DNA sequence: AATGGCGCCTGAACGC
DNA sequence: TGCGTTCAGGCGCCAT
């Protein structure tokens, strides 16, 4: 499931090769979570800038190219702005010079001068949305509720503590919410809490400042290690060059109910919080 | 403002 | 073999 590491790994795998590419054609498959918001033909002729990431979203800036002639959109206009991309639950991007024929789960495809970018997303929780600017709607509305980036200096134990002390939900849910700090989905929230020795059921406002410090460090380290491992490939994630991730092999608790805790020899458990599986060690993760 | 629950989707795994 | 059920979970949205 694409969380911050998978999105970042994907970004790095095609950022430099797509930068500067001229869009030649855009085709859509079945509807994704939200409509594109612009005529696909209006994107033709734009040049793709450097892809960036915010939380689990990717932003592909599009620029006008003054030298461009040829195809234009409605009223002779081409679209600048950019594309906000979310991989949802089952999405992955591929960018390649030669692309096999589109399959039934390929729902967005953009042919450019240096290769084709394709979004494959069987469950269609993902989205590709055009926005005139990152600061304008719809991008602004989608990104507006997001918390801080975990690798920014602004995110630290103090900041986490002051945000959590106003919440009463379980700390696992607070992490998943993404309005305090972005990036952790179910896998990395579980792993970070294990690393910090914190019971995922702990009420957010009951965590001491020192434990928030540990959690902030643990979350950062977990996400960084996952990026280094190329993300987690549980089923079908791979980066834009088709490379699988390996973090699932070094996960300490996720998906390991019944196994021995790698730290204390207790038995790992699976519980359900907010209709989602939580994996943890009831012995060495304390409230 | 914070919180809990719902719905969107499809494929895999499972029980009968 | 075939069918129905459950599960996977990101996240906007709604009601409370």
């Amino acid at each position: 499931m694409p969380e911050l590491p998978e999105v970042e790994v994907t970004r790095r795998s095609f950022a430099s090769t797509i930068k500067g590419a001229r869009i030649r054609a855009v085709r859509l498959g079945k509807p994704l979570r939200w409509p594109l918001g612009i005529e696909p033909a209006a994107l033709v002729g734009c040049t793709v800038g450097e892809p960036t990431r915010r939380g689990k979203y990717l932003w592909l800036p599009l620029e006008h190219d003054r030298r461009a002639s040829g195809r234009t959109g409605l009223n002779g206009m081409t679209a600048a702005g950019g594309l906000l991309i979310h991989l949802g639950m089952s999405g992955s991007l591929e960018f390649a010079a030669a692309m096999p024929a589109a399959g039934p789960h390929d729902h967005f495809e953009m042919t450019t001068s240096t290769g084709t970018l394709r979004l494959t997303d069987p469950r269609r929780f993902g989205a590709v949305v055009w926005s005139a600017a990152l600061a304008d709607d719809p991008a602004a509305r989608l990104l507006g509720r997001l918390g801080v980036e975990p690798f920014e200096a602004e995110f630290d134990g103090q900041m986490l503590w002051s945000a959590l002390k106003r919440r009463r939900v379980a700390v696992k849910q607070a992490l998943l919410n993404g309005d305090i700090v972005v990036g952790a989905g179910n896998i990395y929230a579980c792993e970070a809490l294990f690393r910090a020795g914190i019971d995922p059921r702990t009420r957010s406002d009951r965590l001491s400042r020192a434990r928030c410090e540990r959690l902030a460090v643990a979350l950062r380290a977990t996400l960084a290690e996952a990026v280094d491992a190329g993300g987690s490939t549980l089923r079908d994630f791979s980066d834009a060059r088709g490379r699988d991730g390996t973090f699932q092999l070094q996960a300490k608790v996720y998906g390991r109910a019944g196994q021995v805790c790698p730290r204390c020899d207790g038995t790992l458990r699976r519980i359900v919080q907010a209709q989602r599986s939580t994996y943890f060690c009831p012995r060495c993760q304390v409230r």
Side-chain angles (χ1 to χ4, degrees):
Chain A
M1 323 305 146
E3 305 179 28
L4 183 148
E6 288 74 27
V7 177
E8 177 61 19
V9 164
T10 296
R11 189 190 71 79
R12 293 181 186 182
S13 68
F14 79 110
S16 62
T17 43
I18 201 172
K19 188 180 175 186
R22 169 88 49 86
I23 298 175
R24 290 183 172 152
V26 176
R27 69 158 274 282
L28 306 178
K30 288 187 190 174
L32 292 163
R33 179 164 191 173
W34 301 297
L36 179 60
I38 193 172
E39 279 298 315
L43 302 174
V44 172
C46 283
T47 298
V48 181
E50 170 104 37
T52 58
R53 180 190 56 75
R54 175 74 176 98
K56 299 172 189 171
Y57 288 91
L58 286 176
W59 173 248
L60 257 62
L62 303 182
E63 298 149 12
H64 286 299
D65 186 337
R66 290 170 185 280
R67 295 171 305 149
S69 52
R71 301 280 304 277
T72 55
L74 299 174
N75 301 323
M77 301 280 288
T78 52
L83 295 173
L84 198 63
I85 301 175
H86 198 289
L87 301 180
M89 281 294 303
S90 58
S92 61
L93 286 174
E94 193 179 354
F95 185 69
M99 193 68 87
H105 301 309
D106 299 332
H107 303 304
F108 177 86
E109 193 167 276
M110 191 169 86
T111 307
T112 76
S113 54
T114 64
T116 298
L117 182 69
R118 170 185 284 177
L119 173 66
T120 302
D121 185 4
R123 293 170 67 181
R124 292 192 279 133
F125 282 12
V128 181
V129 176
W130 182 82
S131 194
L134 209 41
D136 295 346
D137 283 336
R141 203 164 54 83
L142 292 171
L143 303 180
R145 56 166 283 277
L146 298 183
V148 301
E149 286 289 328
F151 297 125
E152 295 286 311
E154 187 184 356
F155 176 66
D156 61 12
Q158 165 66 39
M159 178 266 159
L160 186 58
W161 178 75
S162 56
L164 287 177
K165 73 181 177 186
R166 293 183 287 111
R167 309 286 178 97
R168 303 169 67 137
V169 287
V171 61
K172 158 103 180 310
Q173 290 166 249
L175 287 181
L176 282 182
N177 252 342
D179 55 353
I180 296 173
V181 56
V182 295
N186 210 34
I187 298 173
Y188 302 116
C190 290
E191 293 298 317
L193 286 163
F194 173 77
R195 191 174 186 126
I198 295 170
D199 188 317
R201 301 166 292 188
T202 310
R203 260 176 58 158
S204 298
D205 60 356
R206 300 269 171 86
L207 280 168
S208 69
R209 191 182 297 223
R211 303 192 80 207
C212 287
E213 188 64 48
R214 287 196 65 186
L215 181 54
V217 170
L219 178 63
R220 247 198 204 139
T222 300
L223 294 173
E225 286 178 12
V227 170
D228 288 344
S232 296
T233 297
L234 294 185
R235 183 154 298 160
D236 47 16
F237 169 77
S238 56
D239 72 17
R241 291 166 63 181
R243 296 172 299 200
D244 287 351
T246 61
F247 186 84
Q248 73 281 1
L249 303 174
Q250 64 195 82
K252 301 290 195 290
V253 292
Y254 186 81
R256 300 193 187 278
Q259 297 184 21
V260 176
C261 171
R263 183 196 288 139
C264 77
D265 295 339
T267 302
L268 301 179
R269 273 186 68 196
R270 172 188 176 271
I271 59 173
V272 174
Q273 292 180 281
Q275 298 130 315
R276 279 170 201 156
S277 292
T278 296
Y279 298 91
F280 74 115
C281 174
R283 191 160 133 193
C284 66
Q285 289 178 255
V286 299
R287 300 211 199 206

